[in-house]
Amino acid sequence: MKVLITGGCGFIGSNFIHYLLKKYRSIKITNLDFLTYAGNLANLKDVAKDPRYQFVHGDITDGKIVNRLMSCDPDVVVSFAAESHVDRSLYQPSNFLRTNILGVQVLLESARQHNIKRFIQISTDEVYGSLSLKDKASNETDPLVPSSPYSASKAAGDLLVKAYEKTFGYKTIITRSSNNYGPYQFPEKVIPLFITNAMADKPLPLYGDGMNIRDWLYVEDNCRAIALLINKGTPGEIYNIGGNCERTNIYITKTILKLLNKPTSLITYVKDRPGHDRRYALNISKITRLGWYPEYKFEERIKKTIAWYLNNQDWIKQVKTGEYLKFYKKHYKI
Ligand code: NAD
Ligand code: DAU
């Protein structure tokens, strides 16, 4: 199987590449990544010389490079590439529109022209917007009510997928997953930020009243779901991938502090994120009918995640100091 992955140097993409290389002996993976601040070659250091894997530096909005890779005839394209952090989208929205909308369109256009049979667009539960405690979990057919420039750009990407289906008959699978956690997650997202701050005895900035709810999914569960959809998903369909694990932010915060044996006095309530969605929850019955369910329990996997950060302090240092970006500037002229 030949797989073209975009955004493979980020958190979920790098976990997915590790997952595929472990699962399939006979596989060829090409990873197209622009190496933004969120893309880290260190995430794939251990597989960089694996003959089944190649890295290509490039931008998904660049039709030339995208066409070159699509003409290599991949059996499947899995597109993770995105600007992914809600807070950054509040002050740098144009980057989000460029990659998450224009980038998706460039990929779709090239994939349909090259007649790529399987294309998986990685989207998010945030496109359904905020739920109240009384609301039912979101279904794949629910309207898109995004709140932030990030989620609006992801929703626009999803709408382009649907437009390509209707106008050109080109069918793409969309996945909408809930909040992932696990190794290699950039410490701007709440779990790695709070773990690494607590490790350094720094304050944990909790937004608003700390009662917002997210549904937590261990990243390997997501990888298994995406791999399943490569084989069993129906082109043209949307699949929610959730952890069945709704937790408040204050619960997450106290759990991290307890496991690291740090005091709750590190919790610092700060001004709320503008437009902060209160709750996300996913109805995952559609994908469970294909035989997938979230295997990992949060209370067990958060321990493993903390252990990963404790054992990878060089990675944390490199990421927090931005040392890798200096390397990119020199070698990739970014
Ligand atoms: P990430 O920010 O960790 O990684 C994004 C990757 O995309 C980076 O390697 C970056 O260099 C690359 N990239 C950015 N712009 C690019 C461009 N123009 N061309 C090529 N590469 C580019 O993101 P993540 O958390 O791994 O998320 C991956 C995907 O999953 C995203 O599409 C995101 O919307 C979606 N998602 C993430 C979560 C989550 O909890 N992290 C949950 C649901 C959905
Ligand atoms: O739901 C899926 C989405 O999950 C993905 O589409 C996004 O790419 C991913 O970034 C994530 O978005 P969130 O906004 O939910 O994740 P974040 O880690 O930024 O925040 C999780 C919760 O924690 C949210 O309610 C805001 C809160 N938070 C976050 C940060 C960074 C804090 O209280 N303090 C913080 O410093």
Side-chain angles (χ1 to χ4, degrees):
M1 179 167 61
K2 274 199 282 182
V3 187
L4 172 59
I5 286 172
T6 76
C9 295
F11 163 50
I12 306 177
S14 60
N15 275 282
F16 188 63
I17 290 172
H18 281 118
Y19 180 86
L20 289 183
L21 289 172
K22 245 185 240 153
K23 189 174 160 78
Y24 299 104
R25 192 178 296 185
S26 173
I27 193 164
K28 285 271 173 212
I29 298 175
T30 300
N31 170 21
L32 172 67
D33 197 296
F34 199 33
L35 296 178
T36 68
Y37 79 93
N40 191 344
L41 288 172
N43 295 357
L44 292 160
K45 205 164 114 194
D46 52 336
V47 299
K49 294 203 171 102
D50 189 316
R52 297 170 298 166
Y53 168 77
Q54 66 157 333
F55 169 67
V56 177
H57 177 236
D59 185 343
I60 59 165
T61 67
D62 176 354
K64 230 160 121 190
I65 198 160
V66 167
N67 280 329
R68 177 163 73 74
L69 297 179
M70 295 281 185
S71 68
C72 298
D73 215 14
D75 299 298
V76 57
V77 174
V78 186
S79 187
F80 296 93
E83 289 292 338
S84 70
H85 191 42
V86 173
D87 291 326
R88 285 182 192 253
S89 82
L90 307 182
Y91 55 88
Q92 272 183 338
S94 57
N95 284 351
F96 287 71
L97 271 54
R98 200 183 68 85
T99 293
N100 301 358
I101 306 177
L102 181 60
V104 173
Q105 186 272 323
V106 169
L107 289 169
L108 286 170
E109 184 59 31
S110 181
R112 95 174 169 92
Q113 286 188 11
H114 289 86
N115 202 16
I116 305 296
K117 293 280 176 296
R118 299 219 149 220
F119 185 127
I120 302 190
Q121 167 61 15
I122 305 297
S123 186
T124 169
D125 63 356
E126 296 207 9
V127 298
Y128 298 120
S130 187
L131 301 179
S132 74
L133 283 177
K134 281 191 241 139
D135 288 325
K136 282 196 187 134
S138 304
N139 277 312
E140 287 86 350
T141 49
D142 282 356
L144 306 187
V145 196
S147 305
S148 69
Y150 163 68
S151 51
S153 68
K154 292 297 286 185
D158 289 11
L159 292 176
L160 276 167
V161 166
K162 288 293 152 197
Y164 265 70
E165 186 179 318
K166 189 155 184 194
T167 307
F168 304 113
Y170 185 68
K171 291 187 177 174
T172 303
I173 289 173
I174 294 177
T175 71
R176 293 184 180 145
S177 89
S178 58
N179 284 60
N180 286 220
Y181 67 102
Y184 302 110
Q185 187 168 30
F186 194 87
E188 64 185 349
K189 310 283 163 55
V190 75
I191 287 186
L193 177 73
F194 283 12
I195 293 172
T196 52
N197 278 14
M199 279 165 61
D201 296 309
K202 288 191 177 150
L204 275 47
L206 193 56
Y207 296 161
D209 62 2
M211 292 303 288
N212 300 66
I213 293 171
R214 296 293 182 267
D215 168 34
W216 290 98
L217 175 69
Y218 190 60
V219 64
E220 196 183 314
D221 269 332
N222 192 13
C223 293
R224 204 162 28 79
I226 299 164
L228 175 85
L229 292 174
I230 292 179
N231 296 312
K232 287 204 182 162
T234 305
E237 294 293 320
I238 299 169
Y239 296 90
N240 286 345
I241 307 174
N244 272 346
C245 174
E246 290 184 52
R247 300 285 186 276
T248 59
N249 291 341
I250 184 69
Y251 171 84
I252 300 287
T253 309
K254 286 186 175 166
T255 302
I256 290 170
L257 288 171
K258 194 166 170 205
L259 290 171
L260 282 167
N261 205 15
K262 298 287 179 176
T264 51
S265 56
L266 287 178
I267 300 173
T268 309
Y269 285 90
V270 298
K271 194 166 166 273
D272 208 357
R273 169 189 280 173
H276 195 177
D277 286 338
R278 194 66 175 165
R279 170 181 172 237
Y280 304 133
L282 286 177
N283 180 327
I284 56 167
S285 54
K286 186 168 174 179
I287 191 166
T288 57
R289 287 198 290 277
L290 297 181
W292 177 90
Y293 60 94
E295 277 178 13
Y296 295 113
K297 294 280 161 282
F298 179 81
E299 283 65 23
E300 179 253 323
R301 283 291 137 165
I302 189 68
K303 287 186 194 155
K304 214 172 152 89
T305 302
I306 290 175
W308 187 87
Y309 284 92
L310 285 169
N311 289 329
N312 285 277
Q313 308 225 12
D314 282 352
W315 183 93
I316 297 173
K317 187 172 161 233
Q318 187 224 37
V319 168
K320 290 226 173 192
T321 57
E323 270 166 39
Y324 64 116
L325 296 174
K326 283 185 210 149
F327 174 84
Y328 292 173
K329 257 195 190 134
K330 199 164 153 202
H331 288 83
Y332 296 99
K333 300 188 176 56
I334 294 169

